[in-house]
Amino acid sequence: MIEAAVVSHSLQCEVEVVRSDDFRGSNGDKPEFCIGGPLGSNVRSAGHVAHSLPGVTFHPYTHPEHPLAFEAGGTIHRWSAVPAAG
């Protein structure tokens, strides 16, 4: 959220805070930062994915075979952690 605020400040743009559960299909041509993912924590993220990427499926963390993966066109893209630089 802080990073989104820094970007908007550097671009000198207006910011509007909108509730996650207030999604009606599209935000038109306005850019939007959604804080939180499409698997329940942010309904707006899920709505944007469904609108912009029809047919893409996200697997939840609790999925027995592919936790946090997304699927598109029958291909599963697995999540992998990137080790922190130390």
Side-chain angles (χ1 to χ4, degrees), residues 46 48-59 70-75 77:
H48 288 305
V49 168
H51 180 264
S52 301
L53 302 170
V56 172
T57 303
F58 286 86
H59 296 273
F70 70 91
E71 191 169 345
T75 302
H77 303 272

Side-chain angles (χ1 to χ4, degrees), residues 4 14 16 24-25 30 34 39 42 57 61 63 66 69-70 72 81:
E14 294 181 28
E16 178 183 1
R24 292 179 174 69
K30 295 190 294 186
C34 289
L39 294 174
N42 191 322
T57 303
Y61 179 76
H63 192 279
H66 311 292
F70 70 91

Side-chain angles (χ1 to χ4, degrees), residues 5-33:
V6 168
V7 169
S8 66
H9 178 74
S10 68
L11 296 173
Q12 299 178 355
C13 63
E14 294 181 28
V15 174
E16 178 183 1
V17 177
V18 181
R19 293 171 29 149
S20 167
D21 58 354
D22 184 24
F23 183 75
R24 292 179 174 69
S26 175
N27 61 333
D29 62 352
K30 295 190 294 186
E32 180 171 326
F33 291 101

